[in-house]
Amino acid sequence: MRYALYEERFYDLKMHSSCLFANQEHVLTSVQDSIFQWNMTKNCFQFVCRVPSVGRIRNLYMGADGGIWIGSAKGLYRMEKLSGQSPVCILPKVTVYSLFQDSKGRLWVCTINGLNLYDSKNDTFVKVASEYLENKGLQAIDEDCEGNIWVSTREGLYKYNPSNNEIEEFLHDKNNPNTISENNIFSVYYSEKKLWIGTKTGGLNVMNLDDYSVKVYTHDPNNSKSIPSNFI
């Protein structure tokens, strides 16, 4: 879908895209193993290139140098600009679930095996907090106003402080109603001192970062104003 701001309406683009990347100059999307770019003049996506070696593209990210990072079930790849040339495999044999740029311009990569931070000076990746995040199926990532990195996994929620390398774990406790509703977390989104947390079956959780209190919203079939599903 595309939202036309001046018309205040949505348009169906009729593309079964698997991911979307946007910055001030570019809007990129993918369909299977192909990359498309939004043409501002023609108001449509145009084919850029096909990269069959990566399989189905799950994530796209464009760096400041114009290089394209491509996440797939076969690993993390990098391609120099939108050239269509064969990409180079940087992290092989891992499923990439999320690519994220923080407020300092650093690239974070969530994989099924752990969290990786790109070291641009040495052109390499460093594993972060592996004692907590190794093989936990990382699924999403965001940053709060204090620079903390929040990571959702299949086994809980984690807060990582890059400044002191400390990590904090948040898990469901059936005896404590003021905890997250379940540990399998699909998505996280930070906004105004609150962390919005989407779970597999536990509905929507909203965590107040001042005291880590949690409010849970679940589907109620008898309440038309409740959220439509517990799968978020």
Side-chain angles (χ1 to χ4, degrees):
M1 301 291 288
R2 179 178 71 89
Y3 181 69
L5 182 62
Y6 296 108
E7 300 176 33
E8 296 187 345
R9 60 174 295 189
F10 284 95
Y11 287 90
D12 186 357
L13 299 178
K14 302 186 184 302
M15 291 182 66
H16 299 287
S17 62
S18 53
C19 66
L20 182 73
F21 169 83
N23 60 19
Q24 292 182 341
E25 298 179 0
H26 302 275
V27 178
L28 304 176
T29 191
S30 67
V31 177
Q32 295 299 328
D33 62 358
S34 299
I35 298 174
F36 296 79
Q37 182 172 19
W38 182 255
N39 186 310
M40 301 291 185
T41 303
K42 297 182 178 181
N43 273 339
C44 67
F45 278 103
Q46 291 188 318
F47 175 78
V48 175
C49 60
R50 183 169 175 258
V51 279
S53 59
V54 307
R56 178 176 174 269
I57 298 172
R58 301 177 65 103
N59 311 97
L60 287 171
Y61 171 79
M62 178 181 287
D65 61 353
I68 307 298
W69 296 88
I70 303 169
S72 76
K74 294 184 178 182
L76 178 68
Y77 295 77
R78 184 170 63 189
M79 181 172 65
E80 297 302 323
K81 305 186 184 302
L82 289 169
S83 59
Q85 68 184 52
S86 297
V88 177
C89 185
I90 307 298
L91 291 176
K93 299 179 181 179
V94 295
T95 298
V96 178
Y97 282 104
S98 183
L99 300 175
F100 176 74
Q101 182 184 34
D102 66 16
S103 59
K104 294 184 178 180
R106 298 173 296 192
L107 176 63
W108 301 79
V109 181
C110 289
T111 76
I112 196 169
N113 299 326
L115 180 62
N116 299 269
L117 175 62
Y118 180 55
D119 179 356
S120 58
K121 291 183 179 179
N122 298 304
D123 193 23
T124 187
F125 278 89
V126 178
K127 271 208 166 183
V128 173
S130 57
E131 65 274 22
Y132 284 90
L133 301 175
E134 188 82 15
N135 297 320
K136 289 197 174 180
L138 279 65
Q139 304 193 99
I141 182 172
D142 206 352
E143 178 185 19
D144 65 27
C145 63
E146 297 180 353
N148 298 302
I149 301 298
W150 290 85
V151 181
S152 70
T153 79
R154 295 175 181 174
E155 300 180 28
L157 175 69
Y158 294 85
K159 171 189 171 184
Y160 174 69
N161 186 333
S163 300
N164 56 22
N165 204 35
E166 291 184 354
I167 192 164
E168 194 170 354
E169 184 179 57
F170 298 84
L171 301 175
H172 170 66
D173 182 351
K174 64 180 181 180
N175 297 315
N176 184 355
N178 200 34
T179 60
I180 57 176
S181 59
E182 75 161 298
N183 291 331
N184 193 349
I185 302 172
F186 282 170
S187 56
V188 289
Y189 175 75
Y190 171 79
S191 176
E192 299 179 349
K193 287 283 188 175
K194 292 182 179 179
L195 195 69
W196 298 74
I197 303 162
T199 69
K200 183 178 181 180
T201 59
L204 175 65
N205 294 214
V206 182
M207 178 182 286
N208 186 325
L209 297 190
D210 286 329
D211 57 8
Y212 300 124
S213 59
V214 178
K215 185 172 184 178
V216 179
Y217 298 87
T218 56
H219 172 64
D220 180 353
N222 298 315
N223 183 357
S224 61
K225 295 183 179 180
S226 68
I227 60 175
S229 171
N230 289 327
F231 182 94
I232 307 295

